[in-house]
Amino acid sequence: MSGAGRGRGSVTFIGMPRSFRENAAEAMQDAQLGRNLRKATHTIRGKRARVVEELPDWAELREAGRAVKDHTLRHLDRYLLQLEEAVTRAGGHVHWAADADEANRIVTELVRATGESDVVKVKSMVTQEIGLNEHLAAHGITAYETDLAELIVQLGDDWPSHILVPAIHRNRTEIREIFRDRMAAWGRPAPEGLSDEPAALAEAARLHLRERFLSSKVAISGANFMIAETGTMVVVESEGNGRMCLTLPETLISVVGIEKVLPTWRDLEVFLQLLPRSSTGERMNPYTSMWTGATEGQRFHLVLLDNGRTGVLADEVGRQALRCIRCSACLNVCPVYERAGGHAYGSVYPGPIGAILTPQLRGMGSELDNSLPYASSLCGACLEVCPVAIDIPEVLVELRARARHPRSERMAMRAAGWLLADQARLSRAQRLAVRLRRLIPRRLPGPASAWTDTRDLPEIPEESFRDWWERS
Amino acid sequence: MRVALFVTCVNDTLFPGTGRATVSLLRRLGCEVDFPAAQTCCGQMHVNTGYRDEGVRLARRFTEVFRDYDAVVAPSGSCAAMVREQYPRLAAGEGGGFAEAVAEVAPKVHELSEFLIDVLGVTDVGASFPHRVTYHPTCHSLRGLRLGDRPLTLLGNVRGLELLPLPGAEECCGFGGTFSVKNPEVSAAMCAAKVDNVLDCGAEVLCAADNSCLMHVGGMLGRRKTGVRIMHLAEILARTEAT
Ligand code: SF4
């Protein structure tokens, strides 16, 4: 792959330098995690299926979503400039960041200029992609996550494992422990005698966060969509914490990937139908916040982030990954994600979308990133549910062709290719196998043991089909 | 009607019974079956593992071998999907008349149940198989070729056959070609879930339109000594009261 525009400074999760296989195998040792994941993904999966089924024009909506995104990406330069102009006109400030380092530097300077050392955050994938919280911390600024699941992840000193439900790997007993032990260090402590009832946990979070909202002067967000014609930013959420962050503080800084732009208001209509049904399985999400530039008495900064995206855009097959609206439907139907969990993907983008996006944004230099395109059985469930019709299996296969292949595999594949290039060779190999059929053991050594540890090998038949055909 | 059988390399080598069953079934329905001996493999394993060049070589060979036939029948949803869906994409960047050959050949390639229902127009092939059977719609048959209920329609008309619904039928069995050895832990866990569902539904026979997936699930059914047999769709449809 070309290195042009490849993101520098993207975050790789610490302690995850190994291949996807090893990460997944380790995660599968945790039976509790497996149960949490299975229950959560199957529940959301079912809800999604029900609300999608009730729309007779879902296929058309999906096609419209795909077409709008493709059109926008084809003319991205134009729409971004239009957006910059509209945001500026409305009193906002637009900053351009080529990579993670630059975005982090810009945000840190903007926060410093306010004289504040605390910021509240709206759940945002892109700030995790660039490691913003860590960068701010290194410069004496504390970022407080305000989404419930992100709060659990932050207090637990943990990594998110799902796009929409970052703490999907935690159950409520674990959450109670995290709140009880860690809340005090971050602000208002958990109430005495906190139970693990969901309502009690939510109330504890609400009290803890409310203090934070009221005292914070600076907020940092991402955005789900940006409207080029008006300069409007859109954040879609469920809890209302976003609304608090977006309205209360004096300074709002939004860091947004350049692929999030949409040409017009009318285009938004399509996505506000596609997104909630695909992500939470709701007809409509509880909170949709929109703002255009700066409100009186407040300051608004928009940091537009590339971090590898223009490199992806240059790739004919891979660019469709930029259509993604981060709904996480592909995670919830993925049988591999369900077993491996989000952490195994070693990036803020887990599951099928992560398997095609991370190697493109970060390159495939590390063992982990090189193994991500193989983290799929190509079952196609992700493509079927994707609201913008990203052909994830197609991109996976394309990335596999560019991956580094182990030497032994290369040799085996070359040998198989040679054998299959000629029917006489194939026929000779088949006859040899038939002759040795009684000698093949039930369990094989080496890499083949990966199969025979849990599954019997098929028996070699007494004659191949082609020999039977010739004979009869 | 004269048809070419693309038996597939897996069936040719490991499951010749499926090839023989396909031949006898098609003959019984009045087809003249040809087996072009030069055929080998559609190239799926190479392409899907990241060995595009080797895969393209095999794909080119496939299109040459089958170009002159009116209809090609493959007892494999996965290989038929490879030809119909992936060949056109593979051909996009290639020269040497490959794209033209693909455009000509790909639409003529049918998975067995498609051929029986869409081309021959039969839903009752006159088979008899008095057993409890469940059907696993493999991913490439289900989401690739969109076979829908074609195989179930055919099985539903088999005398004596009791068709049992498979819980979680649409979930992948975890084979995925080289996925099963590159990510064996996840693959085996997926397979175990499939095996549990097969056992839950009480079938004696697990049927599918793809022997590679059957080999995978069957490998675990065998290892766990469950007594449940695997059978390709063609083998059930080929059975009559006489056999
Ligand atoms: S790839 Fe598609 S299904 Fe997956 S998160 Fe993105 S938009 Fe949703």
Side-chain angles (χ1 to χ4, degrees), chain A residues 163 324-330 353 382 385-388 390 392:
Chain A
I163 290 178
C324 176
I325 57 172
R326 312 279 188 262
C327 72
S328 68
C330 58
I353 181 62
C382 47
V385 296
C386 177
V388 285
I390 300 173
I392 294 176

Side-chain angles (χ1 to χ4, degrees), chain A residues 414-430 466, chain B residues 9 12 37-41 57-58 61-62 65:
Chain A
R414 210 172 296 150
W418 179 83
L419 209 69
L420 294 166
D422 182 278
Q423 72 269 26
R425 288 176 202 153
L426 174 61
S427 176
R428 274 199 298 278
Q430 287 170 337
R466 67 180 63 236
Chain B
C9 61
D12 183 8
Q39 65 177 280
T40 55
C41 166
R57 271 199 286 281
L58 293 169
R61 181 184 174 90
F62 180 95
V65 170

